[in-house]
């Protein structure tokens, strides 16, 4: 008589960086933080509602309690303006963009930008995103069936293509678009996400410690973007400009002042659109493809949904991509592209019985919130079906913020979801992705959550 059957093996756990063991000195923490935001943090943050960090220069409070997150981002966002400590590292490139401003200036910028992303803009942008998806499928064809392919490079190219097609109606094959893309790669290699100004509040008159190549690369990018916006201004004046995001933003007047963005302001905004839209989308899509390689059962479902779209699919047909959408949501939970956001207390506060002095840094970490052991079932596991459970629905409302939330929610969140779901479905319909045992990616956080040495997969055309 045979004994009870063995339970089915648990699915593999997606890669997760090791937590920092124990206490370390401030200088050691600074080094760890600059190398990788994620592994520099202690393991207790995956269960704590709040943690206080003290340094000789400032105090910071990481908050995971949903009620506190809601307070800072939704209920009283003006009392917690965006901290300039993180944006200091991106100042040479982004200037005075909507990413770094606060108060009345930020509100003015959003009044001009938001209309470009409202109403039927997703429907209008769909043909450009669909064309970028087909171009991504075609670019991978020569690499399928051969050796390992570094997927992050491919998704970066595809995401940049989406940005240029939706913003300026040009594919990345356009010479100037490719120049901007290549220069952005140079910039990212030269500039860590956090520079010394994040730890030491420097006077405004003091020069910032940026490397010479960082300043040079930022200047080149801004010059290239300026050329693009100048050409668009000429086309708008001549009445020949396409009806894309750039045209909409450049022609929108602030309803209060009646003024449009100046040429310099438009360069600031395009820089953050490219950096935020390209980096975040590329990060999410690369991890989604890796998760599909780890979970072939879900990959087959996504491939089936992608194949069902057909070559003449319309915007309305995307409603059928239900599994793909759940897979992409779960990817954003496990690998939120922006792992941490920093606000600053503008006045004295009390969090969970602790006094928070004005100027304290308030850290909101989607990375820890999305994997919090007291909020999520199986927090480190890949489970797209969780989005239909009562726990998953509740967590989505209170503990799922891949695009932030409240007034400063990402303006392009809807675009990012459309892009991610469509590209994932199209790529899985065209190719079968398999992991490489010797090349397990390790998540690290720089500008976004990426792999330490790339994400390597094997591809096989599905029509073979």
């Amino acid at each position: 008589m045979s004994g009870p059957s063995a339970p089915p093996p648990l699915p593999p756990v997606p890669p997760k960086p090791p937590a920092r063991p124990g206490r370390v000195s401030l200088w050691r923490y600074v080094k760890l933080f600059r190398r990788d935001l994620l592994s520099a943090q202690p393991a207790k943050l995956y269960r704590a509602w709040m943690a206080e960090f003290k340094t000789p220069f400032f105090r910071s409070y990481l908050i995971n309690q949903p009620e506190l997150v809601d307070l800072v981002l939704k209920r009283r966002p003006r009392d917690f303006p965006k901290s300039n400590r993180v944006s200091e590292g991106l100042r040479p490139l982004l200037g005075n963009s909507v990413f770094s401003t606060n108060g009345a200036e930020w509100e003015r910028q959003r009044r001009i930008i938001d209309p470009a992303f409202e109403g039927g803009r997703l429907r209008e942008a769909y043909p450009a995103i669909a064309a970028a998806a087909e171009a991504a499928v075609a670019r991978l064809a020569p690499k399928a069936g051969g050796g390992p392919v570094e997927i992050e490079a491919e998704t970066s190219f595809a995401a940049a293509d989406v940005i240029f097609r939706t913003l300026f109606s040009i594919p990345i094959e356009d010479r100037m678009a490719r120049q901007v893309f290549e220069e952005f790669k140079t910039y990212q290699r030269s500039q860590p996400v956090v520079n010394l100004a994040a730890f030491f509040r420097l006077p405004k008159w003091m020069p910032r410690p940026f490397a010479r190549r960082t300043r040079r690369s930022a200047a080149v990018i801004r010059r290239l973007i300026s050329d693009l916006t100048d050409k668009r201004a000429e086309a708008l004046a001549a009445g020949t400009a396409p009806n894309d995001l750039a045209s909409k933003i450049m022609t929108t007047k602030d309803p209060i002042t009646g003024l449009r963005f100046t040429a310099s302001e438009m360069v600031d905004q395009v820089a953050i659109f490219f950096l935020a839209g390209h980096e975040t989308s590329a990060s999410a899509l690369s991890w989604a493809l890796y998760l599909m390689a780890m979970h072939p059962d879900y990959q087959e479902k996504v491939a089936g949904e992608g194949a069902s779209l057909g070559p003449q699919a319309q915007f309305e047909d995307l409603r059928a991509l239900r599994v793909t959408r759940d897979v992409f949501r779960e990817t954003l939970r496990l690998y939120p592209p922006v792992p941490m956001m920093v606000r600053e207390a503008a006045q004295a506060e009390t969090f969970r019985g602790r006094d928070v002095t004005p100027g304290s840094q308030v850290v909101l970490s989607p990375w820890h919130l999305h994997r919090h052991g007291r909020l999520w079932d199986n927090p480190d596991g890949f489970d797209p079906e969780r989005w239909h459970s009562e726990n998953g629905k509740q967590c989505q409302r209170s503990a799922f913020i891949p695009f932030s939330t409240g007034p400063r929610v990402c303006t392009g969140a809807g675009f990012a979801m459309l892009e991610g779901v469509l590209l994932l479905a199209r790529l899985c319909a065209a190719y079968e992705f398999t992991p490489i045992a010797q090349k397990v990616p390790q998540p690290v956080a720089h500008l976004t959550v990426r792999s330490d040495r790339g994400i390597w997969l094997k591809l096989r055309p599905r029509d073979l």
Side-chain angles (χ1 to χ4, degrees):
M1 185 175 179
S2 62
S5 59
L10 291 173
V13 177
K16 177 183 176 182
R20 166 171 60 82
R23 292 180 175 271
V24 295
S25 69
L26 173 62
W27 297 112
R28 175 64 176 158
Y29 181 64
V30 170
K31 290 181 67 175
L32 291 172
F33 200 81
R34 282 168 62 84
R35 184 191 309 162
D36 171 35
L37 301 178
L38 305 181
S39 57
Q41 311 305 326
K44 67 179 182 180
L45 297 186
Y46 291 103
R47 291 197 62 82
W49 288 133
M50 187 174 82
E52 181 180 3
F53 297 88
K54 300 178 182 180
T55 79
F57 313 102
F58 65 91
R59 288 191 179 185
S60 65
Y61 299 83
L62 185 141
I63 54 175
N64 281 327
Q65 185 176 356
E67 291 80 5
L68 286 178
V69 174
D70 187 72
L71 172 74
V72 171
L73 295 181
K74 289 183 178 180
R75 289 164 46 201
R76 291 172 47 205
R78 291 189 178 186
D79 294 335
F80 300 94
K82 198 163 191 176
S83 172
N84 64 6
R85 290 180 181 263
V86 173
S87 62
E88 282 277 6
L90 298 171
R91 188 74 63 183
L93 175 63
L94 302 184
N96 202 39
S97 74
V98 70
F99 174 80
S100 53
T101 53
N102 282 303
E105 176 61 14
W106 173 82
E107 291 173 358
R108 179 187 72 90
Q109 292 175 343
R110 285 294 294 254
R111 288 196 299 267
I112 297 174
I113 292 170
D114 285 355
F117 295 88
E118 293 173 350
R121 300 302 293 188
L122 279 180
R123 182 186 301 273
E124 293 173 14
Y126 168 74
I129 298 175
E134 295 310 310
V137 169
R139 278 193 301 271
L140 281 176
K143 303 178 181 181
V149 176
E150 205 290 284
I151 288 297
E152 282 188 326
E154 303 298 332
T155 60
S156 290
F157 205 85
D161 194 18
V162 170
I163 288 291
F164 283 114
R165 288 176 189 264
T166 55
L167 195 59
F168 286 106
S169 298
I170 56 176
I172 198 169
E173 285 75 16
D174 179 270
R175 179 184 60 82
M176 188 171 289
R178 184 179 285 271
Q179 278 184 286
V180 175
F181 173 68
E182 294 297 332
E183 201 61 48
F184 258 99
K185 290 198 298 184
T186 301
Y187 182 85
Q188 289 164 337
R189 287 193 294 267
S190 70
Q191 173 60 38
V193 65
V194 178
N195 73 348
L196 292 179
F199 291 91
F200 312 107
R201 186 183 292 276
L202 303 178
K204 290 185 178 180
W205 55 264
M206 183 177 291
R208 270 33 181 181
F210 298 113
R212 182 179 300 175
R213 60 176 179 166
T214 298
R215 292 184 181 276
R216 187 206 68 82
S217 187
V220 171
I221 293 170
R222 291 182 64 84
R223 177 175 53 77
L224 291 169
I225 292 175
S226 181
D227 290 344
L228 284 170
T229 55
D230 287 348
K231 289 181 179 179
R232 177 51 56 87
E234 293 172 2
L236 286 168
T240 58
N243 182 30
D244 52 23
L245 291 178
S247 291
K248 178 65 176 176
I249 294 168
M250 292 177 72
T251 56
T252 297
K253 294 180 180 179
D254 178 0
I256 294 179
T257 68
L259 299 176
R260 300 186 179 96
F261 280 139
T262 65
S264 177
E265 287 176 324
M266 192 62 194
V267 173
D268 291 344
Q269 308 310 330
V270 171
I272 187 56
F273 292 156
F274 187 90
L275 183 65
H278 157 250
E279 266 290 307
T280 56
S281 296
S283 168
L285 183 58
S286 61
W287 286 111
L289 290 171
Y290 183 76
L291 289 169
M292 292 298 86
M294 286 185 66
H295 298 272
D297 52 339
Y298 273 102
Q299 184 178 167
E300 292 303 314
K301 294 176 183 178
V302 170
E305 288 187 344
S308 70
L309 286 179
Q312 304 301 320
Q314 301 299 310
F315 177 75
E316 295 78 7
D317 298 325
L318 301 186
R319 287 178 296 198
L321 303 180
R322 295 184 178 88
V323 174
T324 310
R325 194 168 292 108
D326 289 341
V327 163
F328 198 69
R329 282 197 195 104
E330 185 70 343
T331 301
L332 291 171
R333 185 187 72 83
L334 287 168
Y335 300 103
V338 179
M340 292 186 185
M341 300 172 282
V342 186
R343 302 292 187 263
E344 186 169 300
Q347 61 190 40
E349 303 285 347
T350 301
F351 287 171
R352 296 184 58 82
R354 297 190 192 183
D355 292 333
V356 178
T357 57
S360 296
Q361 305 300 290
V362 180
V363 181
L364 305 105
S365 173
W367 178 272
H368 293 94
L369 190 66
H370 291 184
R371 293 173 177 260
H372 202 278
R374 295 159 73 178
L375 293 170
W376 299 89
D377 298 328
N378 187 19
D380 292 329
F382 175 73
D383 180 16
E385 294 182 12
R386 75 171 72 244
W387 299 104
H388 302 287
S389 69
E390 286 305 313
N391 176 264
K393 292 177 182 177
Q394 174 62 31
C395 285
Q396 185 175 10
R397 289 191 293 270
S398 64
F400 182 64
I401 55 170
F403 304 109
S404 188
T405 188
R408 291 199 82 129
V409 67
C410 174
T411 55
F415 277 72
M417 284 299 298
L418 170 60
E419 172 187 351
V421 170
L422 181 57
L423 264 71
L424 180 61
R426 287 297 197 194
L427 290 170
C428 286
Y431 304 105
E432 179 184 355
F433 296 87
T434 57
I436 300 170
Q438 299 80 14
K439 291 182 177 290
V440 177
Q442 177 70 33
V444 294
H446 295 297
L447 287 175
T448 53
V449 175
R450 294 297 193 117
S451 169
D452 57 346
R453 292 183 295 274
I455 295 178
W456 295 85
L457 300 173
K458 286 188 177 180
L459 284 66
R460 183 180 67 85
R462 286 191 177 271
D463 57 355
L464 289 182

